[in-house]
Amino acid sequence: MARSAKVKLFAAAMCAMFGLAGGEAYAAQCGDNASGFEQWKADFAQEARAAGVKNKGLSALAGAKYATATIKADRAVHKAFSGSVESFMQRRGAAAIISKGRSLKKSNAALFNQIESTYGVPPGVLLAIWGMETGFGSYMGKQNTVSAILTLAYDCRRPGFFTPHAVAALQLVDRGALSAGSVGAMHGEIGHTQFLPGNVVKYGVGNRNLRDKSTALMSTANFLRAHGWQAGAGYAGNMGAIAGWNAASVYQQAIARIGAEIDGL
């Protein structure tokens, strides 16, 4: 199927997702380099307006830059999840995550008890994700979030996946949960546990400020529960919920192992 045809189908899917009127959306043309990005932004603004994006979000869209570093990281993403579970865990510092995770579980016992009572999600899996994603908040990224997510929506590799997240990012700017200058990870993930913008909209709790530790952890628990986490089913019974968080098998298995160690299972 030609790229332009694919993008039209992606736009139609976005139209359905956001409840747009008329059943059709103007599909901005994807690209493989920076040369068409400014024209794409102008075209994408029509889709964004139709999805309810207001002036602040549209201004952030207009000011976004083609994120070359994001594209470079995206082209190499498969390497990050290669090899065995053991090698992946070693590369990602699993032993240190387990050690610090156990300590944080104790020092934040009231918070984790509240989360488990509300969402049915135990501390271990949340601490495993938190440690794996940002080293427990020590590094949440320096890439401009709006530019990163818009670049990925423009790029021809996965526009269907990233377009709804791009619209969501602009909506979050309108709501004040993000700004045009907000920074995060290379693929536009936000906060302590690295939520994509569309997931902030769907599963974020409270003020959706994922740079706040408690909000991020509660939102992560809410995400896992929405993806099928069952209290009392253990890690073996909740691999599907972990898969909802990340599709890579080595990541899923690592999170389950680290979480179980933190929980003392």
Side-chain angles (χ1 to χ4, degrees):
M1 185 183 295
R3 282 176 177 167
S4 59
K6 286 183 179 179
V7 174
K8 288 177 182 177
L9 288 177
F10 296 144
M14 188 189 74
C15 184
M17 175 176 288
F18 288 96
L20 307 186
E24 293 186 8
Y26 181 83
Q29 177 66 54
C30 71
D32 292 324
N33 55 58
S35 63
F37 187 58
E38 291 302 316
Q39 181 59 54
W40 177 89
K41 288 195 305 179
D43 295 340
F44 187 69
Q46 298 180 48
E47 298 178 40
R49 286 191 190 95
V53 175
K54 307 300 183 186
N55 288 342
K56 288 175 66 176
L58 292 171
S59 177
L61 167 61
K65 306 297 183 184
Y66 184 81
T68 302
T70 288
I71 293 300
K72 183 178 179 180
D74 187 61
R75 297 297 183 263
V77 71
H78 66 281
K79 295 180 181 178
F81 301 104
S82 62
S84 67
V85 178
E86 289 73 19
S87 65
F88 176 78
M89 290 177 68
Q90 186 173 15
R91 292 197 308 271
R92 301 297 287 264
I97 293 173
I98 292 167
S99 178
K100 188 165 184 178
R102 287 171 173 166
S103 176
L104 287 169
K105 179 182 174 181
K106 292 179 181 178
S107 61
N108 294 273
L111 172 61
F112 285 113
N113 287 340
Q114 177 190 354
I115 291 173
E116 188 163 13
S117 176
T118 303
Y119 300 101
V121 178
V125 65
L126 301 176
L127 286 156
I129 290 171
W130 188 19
M132 184 75 73
E133 295 293 340
T134 66
F136 303 105
S138 65
Y139 187 76
M140 290 185 269
K142 295 183 178 180
Q143 178 64 282
N144 182 276
T145 297
V146 172
S147 291
I149 206 72
L150 287 170
T151 298
L152 290 166
Y154 159 72
D155 186 64
C156 288
R157 195 167 88 86
R158 289 187 289 170
F161 178 79
F162 284 107
T163 293
H165 290 295
V167 172
L170 301 179
Q171 292 173 333
L172 289 169
V173 172
D174 280 331
R175 298 173 189 178
L178 285 179
S179 73
S182 292
V183 296
M186 280 296 177
H187 283 74
E189 305 97 331
I190 301 163
H192 280 267
T193 55
Q194 303 288 268
F195 267 61
L196 284 167
N199 291 334
V200 177
V201 171
K202 290 181 182 178
Y203 307 110
V205 303
N207 62 6
R208 293 182 171 86
N209 175 17
L210 277 295
R211 295 186 75 87
D212 172 72
K213 173 186 72 177
S214 298
T215 302
L217 292 169
M218 287 187 286
S219 298
T220 306
N222 189 39
F223 178 102
L224 291 171
R225 181 177 67 174
H227 284 76
W229 189 279
Q230 295 293 318
Y235 285 89
N238 280 301
M239 293 303 293
I242 298 173
W245 183 265
N246 189 300
S249 176
V250 290
Y251 182 101
Q252 296 160 22
Q253 293 176 66
I255 291 298
R257 292 189 191 184
I258 293 169
E261 289 283 346
I262 292 172
D263 284 335
L265 300 176

